[in-house]
Amino acid sequence: MKKIFLGAPGSGKGSYASRIAPKRNIPHISTGDLFRKNLKEGTKIGLTAKGYMESGALVPDEVVVEMLKERIEEEDCKDGFILDGFPRTIPQAEMLADITDMDIAINMNVANEIIVQRLSSRISCKDCGEIYNLRDLNPKVEGVCDKCQGEVVRRKDDEPEVVQNRLKTYEEQTAPLIKFYEDKGILRHVTCDNIDTPADEMAQSVLETIEQFTKELEEKVSEVLGLPDNE
Ligand code: ADP
């Protein structure tokens, strides 16, 4: 199944995707992580993306789409994947639709106060991008990633001034995607209204939402084909 996790920065989409992807045996593709990897390796894409990322703006659509297209053409994506942080603009969504049909888009519906609190306490691994939180999700050893032993730090773009820009960019350019996928009939919402809800619990709600969606889809297919309910 090809899934899109939509949501503002700090809505938790990356944390939930990193928990759900291994359970489903599909890759978790974060365009933010891909850019950070390119930046670290000093590639042309990395150099192009640097200035945009540091100011909280979006990297131009063509650059992102080209990078994403290459990634989803890899062998490990043949049974599906989770997109985290892509698409982020209507043109990106339209270009994605020309490449492949997505099955479901899940919008992480999170109150603004929670987002701001989360981003101000977010830390992540410099190497693999795993996300932690100073409030309630610290790595087992301070400053060291549980997954890859990389260094856990606060990202430059999680500094307060940049966070404000990223939230503005989200409202202006990414939030319209909610209606885009609603109109396609593949949008579902998962709400978080309590900052203390553990990430594992939220990831479970996301999984249940996906399962419910799959069930509804199967029922619709049976209806169209005139098959009896399998009760
Ligand atoms: P977050 O979701 O927490 O804002 P990401 O790690 O997804 O952070 O992205 C970090 C930065 O990478 C963004 O602020 C933006 O500059 C760039 N970026 C990531 N994905 C995209 C995208 N789909 N389109 C344009 N820019 C992107």
Side-chain angles (χ1 to χ4, degrees), residues 9 13 31-32 36 53 57 59 64 85 88 92 122 155 166:
K13 56 192 188 322
T31 41
R36 281 183 287 276
M53 292 176 78
V59 179
V64 194
R88 244 177 164 100
Q92 287 181 19
R122 178 161 84 173
R155 265 166 42 187
R166 285 164 58 210

Side-chain angles (χ1 to χ4, degrees), residues 59-221:
V59 179
D61 291 335
E62 291 68 26
V63 179
V64 194
V65 173
E66 189 54 37
M67 177 180 75
L68 192 273
K69 184 168 182 280
E70 263 181 36
R71 179 63 189 89
I72 62 178
E73 279 168 1
E74 282 176 37
E75 178 63 19
D76 63 339
C77 291
K78 67 179 191 327
D79 295 328
F81 45 83
I82 300 179
L83 296 185
D84 155 21
F86 184 94
R88 244 177 164 100
T89 65
I90 297 279
Q92 287 181 19
E94 286 166 344
M95 288 187 245
L96 176 63
D98 288 339
I99 302 171
T100 187
D101 283 328
M102 297 302 293
D103 298 303
I104 182 170
I106 302 183
N107 178 44
M108 312 300 159
N109 212 345
V110 183
N112 234 353
E113 310 86 75
I114 297 185
I115 285 180
V116 172
Q117 277 192 54
R118 274 221 194 108
L119 288 177
S120 61
S121 53
R122 178 161 84 173
I123 46 178
S124 59
C125 176
K126 250 179 153 173
D127 292 334
C128 74
E130 184 69 6
I131 296 164
Y132 300 93
N133 199 296
L134 291 168
R135 292 181 75 248
D136 53 9
L137 193 64
N138 278 293
K140 292 192 181 83
V141 178
E142 197 185 323
V144 182
C145 179
D146 294 347
K147 272 200 170 165
C148 76
Q149 271 67 56
E151 193 188 349
V152 175
V153 293
R154 174 184 245 182
R155 265 166 42 187
K156 260 197 201 152
D157 61 349
D158 279 340
E159 299 295 341
E161 323 76 75
V162 185
V163 163
Q164 287 311 322
N165 274 344
R166 285 164 58 210
L167 291 176
K168 193 162 162 268
T169 305
Y170 168 78
E171 280 306 327
E172 290 172 0
Q173 305 197 52
T174 309
L177 288 175
I178 297 174
K179 180 157 187 318
F180 181 92
Y181 286 111
E182 207 164 44
D183 290 348
K184 287 195 181 285
I186 64 164
L187 186 84
R188 290 293 183 273
H189 296 275
V190 171
T191 299
C192 175
D193 46 21
N194 180 350
I195 193 164
D196 294 322
T197 311
D200 285 338
E201 206 175 293
M202 285 304 303
Q204 188 55 34
S205 302
V206 174
L207 262 177
E208 283 164 15
T209 304
I210 295 168
E211 276 158 17
Q212 179 62 27
F213 178 85
T214 312
K215 208 172 130 212
E216 285 166 24
L217 215 64
E218 283 166 0
E219 280 168 6
K220 261 193 217 145
V221 172

